Amino acid sequence: MKKTQIITAISVLLINSQLMAQETLIKNVNGYTFINESLTQFSAISFTNDTINKVYLQGEIVDPPIDAIVINGQGKTMLPGLIDAHGHVLGYGHSLLRVDLVNTSSELDAVKRTLSYAQDNPSLKWIQGRGWNQVQWSNNTYPNAESLDKVFPNKPVWLRRVDGHAGWANSKAMALAGITSASKAPIGGEIIKDKSGQPTGVFIDNAMELIIASITQPSPAEDKIALTRAMQSLASLGLTSVHDAGIDQKNIGLYKTLAGEGDMTIRINGMLYLPSINWQQQLEQGPYKSTDEMFVMHSVKIQADGALGSRGASLIHEYSDHSGHKGLLLHENKTLQHYIDVSMNAGFQVNTHAIGDNANKLILDLYQSAIQKSKTKKLRHRIEHAQVLRLEDIPRFYSLNVIASMQATHATSDKNMAVSRLGEERILGAYAWRKLLDNNVVIAAGSDFPVESPNPFYGLHASITRQDHKSFPTGGWYGDEKMSRVEALRSFTIDAAYAGHQEQVIGSLEVGKKADFIILENDIFTMPENKIWQEQVLQTWVAGKMVFSAADVTTTK
Ligand SMILES: [Zn+2]
């Protein structure tokens, strides 16, 4: 480039940036944020492009420059944008494009819903769905291929359980996958068989791969639509950032494309899934950050065990409701250790799914030696779920600087099942937010959508009340473990940002940070706590732009 061209390029840049530098002031709000860690109220906020340049504390005179755009907030409540520290965006996006079996009342009800969905979508080669939960059905029994075969004799059907740790296939799907009575489950999986040795149609954990491998995979174009739909939906719920808990090369490529095209509705902090195609190369390329920080990736996701509902969580002692059974570890110890070592040495934060007390203890042990060797304590490695803990393992999170990435709605959804799986003693270390907080452990909140609803107000409500939406049980389920409203908001904002190494950028509304915020009808600090889950978002702003407004929505959510 010649000197004159450079000067022209610079002056064009300057003109552009001057044209683009637009200050916006939103006044007359009931604002809450964390400033230097403490909850602070404010009345107005101004930002230029995507960055906050002033937060007006209560009583401070609001005096915007003449050319600023001024918006009257009409006294509504403003909060920092909420962050879900553990969700599955692509899965959620596809779930928006698939049959939803959440809250089906019986196996037959699930079949009926699937049939009507299939009739509405005749072009689909495979009928896929998600969300059934046999624990909610009166017979409390796994479903069977037969009930699907009656209405789908020729079309393959694959329906995942609500927790994603089991799947239900019809006979056509099993035939396409080559499943017979002779089929054996891979390590870390189980094919449920009847008395005569025939597969019943239910596949647990790693055995699900036997069916999934034969499903025609969605095209990148379909995946891109799913991601976009998901991000728009998440924004409408008040989420401005999500930690995507396990993405592969293809998914990373799509996020980079969307970020490059300026089409990211919300921020994504991705975790590279191990093992996935070319994961070693992804690690070698090092952490990634788009210029506007709409997409970042500097962590990996590893899976240690399964889930409690399907009895796949790895426990030290047998399940209280299944003698001799202790759940499943998904990898051998040396494989886990290898993943952890390689990732830490590449400078990545390691986020491992561990639900059972055995999985949690094992991961803390492996982290302890790996952190020492790699000297990466400052990377704030995480345990995803940290659901069932031995009491003596709780202080280890703090001493290893390990973050507990937890999902409050799991406690209120699991409460019926968890005590029977774990018994009265082990339950004391389960979903133990208060014990973790009292041990100075940072809790990053999430929902694990699409396992649970991504609605962060469900999560805030569950954290604060430990009750379901019918305010049951009175006083909260193991109510000693409740969080305060401030702690719950922290876990969905500044602490979730900290867990994603973004506390300098998002998580609170402070000068120099990104203008990511939401506007609500009610004040979550003064409204009755049993109503918090019903709170509706009026507006969601990301990087200084409004990405959702309830006023635009004609149908009810
Ligand atoms: Zn998950």
Side-chain angles (χ1 to χ4, degrees):
M1 202 188 263
K2 284 185 196 156
K3 199 175 168 188
T4 47
Q5 282 178 311
I6 295 170
I7 292 169
T8 316
I10 291 171
S11 48
V12 168
L13 269 176
L14 280 175
I15 291 164
N16 277 343
S17 65
Q18 276 163 356
L19 283 175
M20 286 161 63
Q22 174 63 61
E23 183 168 335
T24 304
L25 178 121
I26 305 185
K27 63 175 188 180
N28 188 22
V29 296
N30 172 35
Y32 291 93
T33 184
F34 295 98
I35 293 184
N36 296 327
E37 299 284 305
S38 52
L39 188 72
T40 307
Q41 286 192 265
F42 64 93
S43 65
I45 187 167
S46 78
F47 47 93
T48 300
N49 298 341
D50 67 350
T51 306
I52 297 166
N53 46 26
K54 181 132 177 78
V55 178
Y56 296 84
L57 301 186
Q58 280 184 325
E60 220 176 312
I61 292 167
V62 178
D63 182 21
I66 291 169
D67 56 352
I69 295 172
V70 179
I71 298 170
N72 187 341
Q74 296 171 6
K76 308 286 186 202
T77 294
M78 183 185 283
L79 298 178
L82 301 177
I83 302 170
D84 187 316
H86 186 121
H88 302 274
V89 182
L90 187 61
Y92 177 58
H94 281 301
S95 79
L96 296 174
L97 305 171
R98 282 176 191 169
V99 57
D100 175 10
L101 301 175
V102 169
N103 293 332
T104 41
S105 57
S106 64
E107 180 174 351
L108 187 64
D109 185 29
V111 173
K112 277 186 188 158
R113 227 191 261 187
T114 307
L115 179 62
S116 99
Y117 171 81
Q119 286 164 342
D120 291 344
N121 295 279
S123 65
L124 292 174
K125 291 199 175 68
W126 276 76
I127 300 300
Q128 294 188 69
R130 180 162 185 152
W132 58 271
N133 183 358
Q134 84 286 0
V135 174
Q136 291 176 343
W137 299 344
S138 56
N139 62 357
N140 194 357
T141 308
Y142 275 135
N144 217 289
E146 266 170 41
S147 59
L148 287 170
D149 293 346
K150 282 182 193 146
V151 288
F152 296 103
N154 298 314
K155 194 166 253 197
V157 180
W158 175 243
L159 307 169
R160 285 180 179 237
R161 192 178 184 278
V162 66
D163 63 2
H165 287 273
W168 169 25
N170 69 343
S171 294
K172 181 69 185 176
M174 289 196 281
L176 286 173
I179 301 292
T180 65
S181 55
S183 300
K184 290 203 167 57
I187 293 169
E190 189 183 354
I191 303 173
I192 308 267
K193 294 185 177 172
D194 64 17
K195 279 181 207 136
S196 62
Q198 290 298 322
T200 63
V202 173
F203 296 76
I204 310 285
D205 282 317
N206 287 354
M208 294 193 296
E209 286 303 323
L210 299 173
I211 300 286
I212 292 167
S214 62
I215 298 176
T216 328
Q217 290 305 309
S219 66
E222 287 169 315
D223 281 344
K224 203 172 165 191
I225 293 168
L227 287 178
T228 305
R229 281 273 297 270
M231 288 194 283
Q232 287 164 349
S233 165
L234 297 165
S236 76
L237 298 170
L239 292 166
T240 56
S241 175
V242 164
H243 299 184
D244 198 343
I247 56 177
D248 63 7
Q249 188 182 32
K250 196 171 81 172
N251 202 340
I252 292 165
L254 287 172
Y255 277 136
K256 286 183 180 173
T257 305
L258 285 164
E261 291 168 351
D263 283 337
M264 297 286 288
T265 312
I266 60 167
R267 292 177 202 280
I268 299 290
N269 187 322
M271 309 177 196
L272 170 67
Y273 191 77
L274 264 55
S276 57
I277 293 171
N278 292 334
W279 64 271
Q280 295 96 333
Q281 276 161 269
Q282 294 289 331
L283 285 186
E284 281 162 20
Q285 287 170 19
Y288 177 85
K289 185 174 9 178
S290 70
T291 43
D292 53 4
E293 299 218 26
M294 292 303 291
F295 175 59
V296 303
M297 189 189 70
H298 47 234
S299 64
V300 300
K301 165 78 183 298
I302 305 169
Q303 188 108 348
D305 64 347
L308 203 58
S310 49
R311 296 192 189 84
S314 175
L315 300 179
I316 293 169
H317 303 290
E318 61 185 16
Y319 275 76
S320 301
D321 58 358
H322 192 327
S323 65
H325 184 78
K326 294 181 181 179
L328 303 160
L329 281 170
L330 303 187
H331 302 289
E332 291 187 25
N333 285 9
K334 64 173 192 299
T335 309
L336 276 175
Q337 182 156 20
H338 174 66
Y339 292 155
I340 292 169
D341 285 343
V342 176
S343 305
M344 288 186 184
N345 289 333
F348 278 72
Q349 179 186 29
V350 177
N351 305 342
T352 308
H353 162 123
I355 290 192
D357 55 2
N358 185 51
N360 275 283
K361 177 193 176 295
L362 172 68
I363 295 303
L364 288 168
D365 290 347
L366 292 174
Y367 277 0
Q368 191 166 344
S369 68
I371 286 169
Q372 218 161 38
K373 276 186 285 175
S374 61
K375 302 195 168 40
T376 59
K377 192 169 171 179
K378 64 180 183 308
L379 286 181
R380 311 167 186 167
H381 304 295
R382 300 169 35 167
I383 291 188
E384 302 302 311
H385 311 305
Q387 215 170 79
V388 185
L389 303 170
R390 299 187 307 168
L391 296 180
E392 60 264 47
D393 283 331
I394 289 175
R396 299 178 69 197
F397 281 77
Y398 177 71
S399 57
L400 294 168
N401 199 27
V402 168
I403 289 162
S405 165
M406 302 181 81
Q407 300 73 33
T409 44
H410 282 347
T412 47
S413 303
D414 292 355
K415 59 183 170 9
N416 297 330
M417 162 276 282
V419 182
S420 39
R421 296 279 190 278
L422 298 171
E424 296 292 338
E425 199 176 316
R426 272 186 299 204
I427 200 75
L428 299 176
Y431 316 87
W433 314 321
R434 171 56 43 210
K435 293 186 187 81
L436 284 155
L437 289 171
D438 287 349
N439 278 279
N440 299 314
V441 179
V442 174
I443 295 182
S447 64
D448 204 6
F449 65 78
V451 175
E452 300 279 354
S453 160
N455 188 333
F457 295 93
Y458 290 8
L460 288 164
H461 169 259
S463 303
I464 293 161
T465 64
R466 290 186 67 107
Q467 289 176 329
D468 61 23
H469 294 174
K470 296 185 178 107
S471 299
F472 182 83
T474 310
W477 183 68
Y478 293 90
D480 292 349
E481 297 289 344
K482 284 180 199 172
M483 289 190 195
S484 70
R485 295 188 199 215
V486 177
E487 287 166 339
L489 183 65
R490 279 194 68 103
S491 72
F492 270 102
T493 55
I494 191 68
D495 288 349
Y498 177 84
H501 288 271
Q502 291 178 297
E503 76 279 10
Q504 303 297 336
V505 186
I506 55 174
S508 66
L509 300 171
E510 292 179 87
V511 175
K513 286 194 174 186
K514 302 291 186 189
D516 291 7
F517 54 85
I518 56 173
I519 298 175
L520 305 175
E521 184 65 45
N522 298 299
D523 182 335
I524 63 157
F525 287 98
T526 57
M527 68 193 291
E529 62 178 24
N530 65 349
K531 295 265 193 290
I532 291 173
W533 65 272
Q534 297 174 20
E535 189 55 22
Q536 302 265 314
V537 175
L538 300 176
Q539 288 179 5
T540 302
W541 293 62
V542 176
K545 287 194 208 107
M546 189 164 70
V547 295
F548 168 77
S549 166
D552 299 338
V553 180
T554 46
T555 51
T556 49
K557 271 184 294 176

